[in-house]
């Protein structure tokens, strides 16, 4: 197995196109044609994690946070980022990060945080502009072959349904020029063909590969098609997660429940509200940008990391805001990546890092 195979598998779950514009997810260090001996999964990539990988015979590290984030201008070892990258290069260890793309992916970071807490529901802020529609015209005899090829390329998936499309029959008209080489009809003669118009939905990031497939399998020299952006939000893709606990509980009980379930020593939270906690929103990592959406959807509590002092005021008296720590809100993604890759690859070790990379301590 090559490094490229591991990257491709990660990107089938969390396509790089879903990362935020400020992010730097993807392959950071390493030759994609390199043979994989073992994969080590970590939340952060540090010198200690690279050392652990070397000790355990792993030559690929998959982390959630990209060690190269703001860009590197030198590799002299003057800070931990440069030293980590240096060490990885010196020992031929590849570094790959799946960050905000994995936050947004179906069953991503926030989903797993919610799962641990027994919160069942949906994505809090569904992705916009992530879906498009392709409509193309094809002779009736070839409609099935084209449709099957396009589905294989990633069209027609809506929630738990695959192979979705809509066809309508009609008459296609064209006149081939003297330079044309038509499959049906003759140069200079107006032609009519019984055609089918097919509409399908697809993820925007697949546009170029879907067009390539269409042009490859469609019988016509000039394929008639159009692509439209859709206003539909994509409910499985997006930021945060919201749902309900099996049973409502008091604010005090909820705090104790979260501490116990996630094994936390402390939670920073706004004052306990005089209401039961049933609807809970979560966001792994720094999720203050979702406070207003959590409130809008009626969350009794919102759990995330990295809340600033003034952001705690935004809970008002409707939503209890809980800062459980950045590391603590995301560390469970290690298990999810481990399960995902272990199910795909059996010919090399996929291990979870045992290094505690959380730089925050509680006294
Ligand atoms: Zn994070």
């Amino acid at each position: 197995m090559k490094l490229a195979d591991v990257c491709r598998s990660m990107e089938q779950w969390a396509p790089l196109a879903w990362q935020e514009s400020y992010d730097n997810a993807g392959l950071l260090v390493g030759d994609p044609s390199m043979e994989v001996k073992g994969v080590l999964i970590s939340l952060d990539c540090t010198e200690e994690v690279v050392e652990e990988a070397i000790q355990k015979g792993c030559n690929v590290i998959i982390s959630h946070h990209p060690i190269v984030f703001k860009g590197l201008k030198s590799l002299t070892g003057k800070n931990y980022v440069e030293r980590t990258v240096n060490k990885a290069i010196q020992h031929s260890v590849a570094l790959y990060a799946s960050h905000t793309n994995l936050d947004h992916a179906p069953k991503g970071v926030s989903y797993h945080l919610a799962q641990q807490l027994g919160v069942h529901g949906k994505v809090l802020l569904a992705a916009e502009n992530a879906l498009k529609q392709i409509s193309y015209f094809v002779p009736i005899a070839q409609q099935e072959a084209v449709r099957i090829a396009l589905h294989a390329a990633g069209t027609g998936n809506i929630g738990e349904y695959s192979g979705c499309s809509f066809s309508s029959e009609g008459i296609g008209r064209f006149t081939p020029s003297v330079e044309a080489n038509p499959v049906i009809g003759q140069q200079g003669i107006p032609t009519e063909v019984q055609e089918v118009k097919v509409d399908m939905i697809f993820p925007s990031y697949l546009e170029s590969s879907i067009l390539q497939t269409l042009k490859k399998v469609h019988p016509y020299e000039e394929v008639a098609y159009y692509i439209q952006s859709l206003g539909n939000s994509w409910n499985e893709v997006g930021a945060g997660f919201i749902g309900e606990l099996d049973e409502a509980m008091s604010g005090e009980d909820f705090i104790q429940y979260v501490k116990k379930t996630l094994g936390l020593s402390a939670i920073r939270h706004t004052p306990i509200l005089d209401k039961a906690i049933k609807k809970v929103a979560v966001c792994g990592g720094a999720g203050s940008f979702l406070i207003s959406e959590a409130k809008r959807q009626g969350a009794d509590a919102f759990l995330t990391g990295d809340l600033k002092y003034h952001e705690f005021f935004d809970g008002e008296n409707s939503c209890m805001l809980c800062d459980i720590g950045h590391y603590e809100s995301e560390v469970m993604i290690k298990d999810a990546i481990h399960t995902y890759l272990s199910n795909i690859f059996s010919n090399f070790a996929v291990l979870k890092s045992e290094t505690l990379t959380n730089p925050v301590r509680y006294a």
Side-chain angles (χ1 to χ4, degrees):
M1 281 296 155
K2 307 281 187 214
L3 176 57
D5 298 314
V6 175
C7 299
R8 198 176 306 114
S9 292
M10 283 304 297
E11 285 153 33
Q12 272 164 3
W13 178 14
L16 295 180
W18 289 347
Q19 66 182 304
E20 295 289 350
S21 55
Y22 59 77
D23 202 0
N24 192 36
L27 183 61
L28 305 173
V29 172
D31 176 352
S33 65
M34 179 186 98
E35 201 66 36
V36 175
K37 294 183 195 144
V39 173
L40 186 67
I41 299 159
S42 179
L43 192 69
D44 305 285
C45 184
T46 61
E47 278 180 278
E48 293 76 20
V49 174
V50 177
E51 186 58 44
E52 184 186 358
I54 297 164
Q55 296 304 325
K56 291 180 171 169
C58 295
N59 62 346
V60 180
I61 295 170
I62 295 183
S63 64
H64 181 48
H65 297 130
I67 179 71
V68 182
F69 190 59
K70 297 170 192 156
L72 276 176
K73 290 198 170 179
S74 61
L75 270 178
T76 58
K78 68 177 176 295
N79 57 39
Y80 83 97
V81 174
E82 293 186 9
R83 285 192 298 276
T84 303
V85 173
N86 258 341
K87 190 165 197 148
I89 293 170
Q90 280 161 9
H91 292 86
S92 302
V93 173
L95 306 180
Y96 183 93
S98 190
H99 190 209
T100 50
N101 49 322
L102 189 54
D103 290 332
H104 298 146
K107 299 193 176 168
V109 179
S110 298
Y111 166 86
H112 285 282
L113 172 57
Q115 282 288 105
Q116 280 222 325
L117 293 165
V119 172
H120 308 290
K122 63 180 186 68
V123 168
L124 177 58
L125 187 61
E128 305 286 344
N129 307 315
L131 290 167
K132 288 190 175 183
Q133 178 187 308
I134 186 162
S135 304
Y136 61 90
F137 303 83
V138 60
I140 289 174
Q142 281 88 13
Q143 61 168 322
E144 197 179 347
V146 175
R147 203 174 63 234
I148 289 169
L150 286 180
H151 286 331
T155 67
N157 296 311
I158 304 175
E160 294 302 317
Y161 295 81
S162 58
C164 305
S165 70
F166 183 84
S167 302
S168 42
E169 278 187 38
I171 297 169
R173 300 179 192 85
F174 49 83
T175 303
S177 80
V178 291
E179 302 281 323
N181 186 20
V183 171
I184 300 172
Q186 289 174 24
Q187 292 170 343
I189 298 176
T191 305
E192 289 194 345
V193 183
Q194 280 296 144
E195 290 181 348
V196 176
K197 178 190 174 214
V198 187
D199 304 315
M200 293 170 172
I201 203 164
F202 67 92
S204 308
Y205 74 93
L206 291 178
E207 181 168 337
S208 60
S209 66
I210 281 165
L211 272 181
Q212 248 180 17
T213 303
L214 176 66
K215 288 175 181 174
K216 201 169 130 200
V217 296
H218 196 289
Y220 283 177
E221 185 176 27
E222 286 294 342
V223 180
Y225 71 90
Y226 56 90
I227 286 175
Q228 289 174 302
S229 295
L230 298 178
N232 307 34
S233 34
W234 191 350
N235 295 329
E236 292 81 32
V237 176
F241 202 84
I242 187 166
E244 295 197 340
L245 296 164
D246 286 337
E247 280 176 44
M249 55 184 95
S250 70
E252 285 96 347
D253 287 349
F254 178 71
I255 294 293
Q256 292 313 316
Y257 169 74
V258 173
K259 279 179 77 172
K260 192 170 161 227
T261 309
L262 300 180
L264 309 176
S265 57
I267 296 181
R268 297 196 304 151
H269 62 88
T270 54
I272 303 285
L273 298 174
D274 187 22
K275 68 170 179 176
I277 306 289
K278 172 88 171 155
K279 196 171 205 182
V280 175
V282 304
C283 179
S288 63
F289 68 103
L290 289 173
I291 293 174
S292 56
E293 188 59 28
K295 278 163 60 188
R296 198 184 66 76
Q297 294 191 32
D300 303 312
F302 177 52
L303 256 78
T304 187
D306 279 350
L307 289 181
K308 293 183 186 154
Y309 177 78
H310 288 286
E311 289 164 348
F312 279 97
F313 287 102
D314 295 336
E316 305 277 355
N317 277 325
S318 66
C319 182
M320 184 163 68
L321 302 181
C322 304
D323 184 341
I324 62 169
H326 192 123
Y327 178 90
E328 292 82 352
S329 70
E330 294 187 319
V331 67
M332 58 287 294
I333 198 63
K334 273 165 61 176
D335 294 317
I337 297 172
H338 178 258
T339 305
Y340 176 77
L341 289 180
S342 302
N343 283 335
I344 300 173
F345 300 105
S346 54
N347 38 359
F348 53 78
V350 179
L351 306 174
K352 284 183 280 182
S353 167
E354 293 166 288
T355 306
L356 174 67
T357 59
N358 190 358
V360 180
R361 295 289 184 277
Y362 303 94

